[in-house]
Amino acid sequence: MYKVAILPGDGIGPEVIKEGLKVLKAVGEKYNLRFEIKEYPFGGEAIDKYGDPYPEETKNGCLSSDAVLLGAVGGPKWDRLEGNKRPEAGLLALRKSLKVYANLRPAVLYPYLKKASPLKDELLEKGIDILIVRELTGGIYFGPKGIEPIDSGFRAYDMEVYETHEIERIAVIAFEAALKRKRKVTSVDKANVLESSRLWRKTVEEVAKRYPEVELEHMYVDNCAMQLVKNPTQFDVILTNNMFGDILSDEAAQIVGSIGMLPSASLRGDKVGLYEPIHGSAPDIAGKKIANPLATILSVAMMLQYSFGEEEAAQDIRKAVERALEEGFRTADLGEGIVLSTEEMGDKIVEYVKG
Ligand code: IPM
Ligand code: MN
């Protein structure tokens, strides 16, 4: 019996989660897996009900589960709240409380989605298969921050802070992942300017000594942003900090066709994990039945793989997604094809998972 906490959240969150759950139930039936599924309020929804984006009940539920599946949080309704009362603050508190420091974001170009990529055909010929390993519980997201009045207005600051052990453990995750892939790690930093990046670089170099089979290269983040659109095939594993990983993963998502396609797993080295699509709550399309549920469905596949070790079930989901794309089925964000609603796409994946 696997215990899964579900946090639908805001905007398109509940819509995509509904489809993800359908697929989880379908593989459960196929492989005789039993899930105890419990839903909890989170984000803006929880602010409205309890005045807290990450209420105690939700926290207890997540901490006592084997895995957490999250939709998305945030929206214009809560944009004027103070920083630490916003839905996004709940998401950061969730990640911190689960101690999931390693965020894996695979950006894979499905051959059938080449047309959805803004890049020229010749850049896509050799394919794109990048794993972004983003540090998730440190850096500027969690460093000292504040705002204070000064004569000319205000002074605000957010501090980027990393300790050796935080860099070391995320680097290990990246090198271990590279061993199972093309054995290349690109560590992305801004070591020409930032002290925290110089510690990052030095620490990554130390860890690299334990992995002589893996090629390590360092790249400045500005150059990396450019290289991603110039020659994306050069990348295998990108290892980077919390903030750079946030930015580069949106860029990587767009070059493989749509941000609606990228799943993520946030791990802490044992089986407990947090799984979420990398996209946001997209309030502009919420309720229109056009959101792409595939990033969430692929996040369910990551959950089966990383938290439950159910490789075959995870593979079934990935194959079902590939088949749906191959047969021309698309959600609105993916461009030309047989355009399906959120729910129809979920049904299609369930149909293919069943075989
Ligand atoms: C992401 C999101 C979050 C982040 C926001 C919603 C706090 O953009 O998961 O990429 O910045 O980590
Ligand atoms: Mn982001």
Side-chain angles (χ1 to χ4, degrees), residues 23-33 35 310 312-313 315-317 319-320 349-355:
V23 174
L24 183 67
K25 284 179 186 151
V27 291
E29 276 162 29
K30 183 168 172 182
Y31 289 97
N32 229 337
L33 310 173
F35 301 109
E310 300 286 348
E312 219 174 309
Q315 198 52 27
D316 272 5
I317 295 177
K319 283 204 185 124
I349 303 304
V350 166
E351 181 191 326
Y352 290 165
V353 158
K354 285 185 176 163

Side-chain angles (χ1 to χ4, degrees), residues 105 134 141 246-247 249-250 278:
R105 300 187 157 189
R134 171 191 179 194
Y141 275 55
D246 178 44
I247 299 167
S249 57
D250 270 34
I278 82 150

Side-chain angles (χ1 to χ4, degrees), residues 73 88-89 91-92 95 103 105 134 136 141 242 245-246 249-250 276-280:
V73 292
E88 290 84 354
L91 178 54
L92 300 194
R95 290 170 176 170
N103 185 216
R105 300 187 157 189
R134 171 191 179 194
L136 201 63
Y141 275 55
N242 204 342
D246 178 44
S249 57
D250 270 34
E276 51 178 318
I278 82 150
H279 61 68

Side-chain angles (χ1 to χ4, degrees), residues 24-84:
L24 183 67
K25 284 179 186 151
V27 291
E29 276 162 29
K30 183 168 172 182
Y31 289 97
N32 229 337
L33 310 173
R34 297 197 35 226
F35 301 109
E36 187 190 296
I37 292 169
K38 281 199 189 147
E39 215 177 287
Y40 298 95
F42 188 61
E45 181 207 2
I47 294 175
D48 291 348
K49 276 193 197 148
Y50 304 100
D52 181 352
Y54 187 34
E56 212 46 40
E57 176 209 350
T58 302
K59 187 173 176 181
N60 292 336
C62 290
L63 290 177
S64 62
S65 294
D66 301 310
V68 180
L69 180 65
L70 166 69
V73 292
K77 187 175 175 192
W78 307 282
D79 271 349
R80 288 168 171 277
L81 294 174
E82 249 173 76
N84 59 357

Side-chain angles (χ1 to χ4, degrees), residues 112-129:
Y112 323 103
L113 282 188
K114 274 190 185 162
K115 272 199 185 145
S117 172
L119 298 187
K120 287 188 199 130
D121 283 350
E122 60 252 42
L123 294 177
L124 303 175
E125 258 161 35
K126 293 191 196 123
I128 302 175
D129 183 354

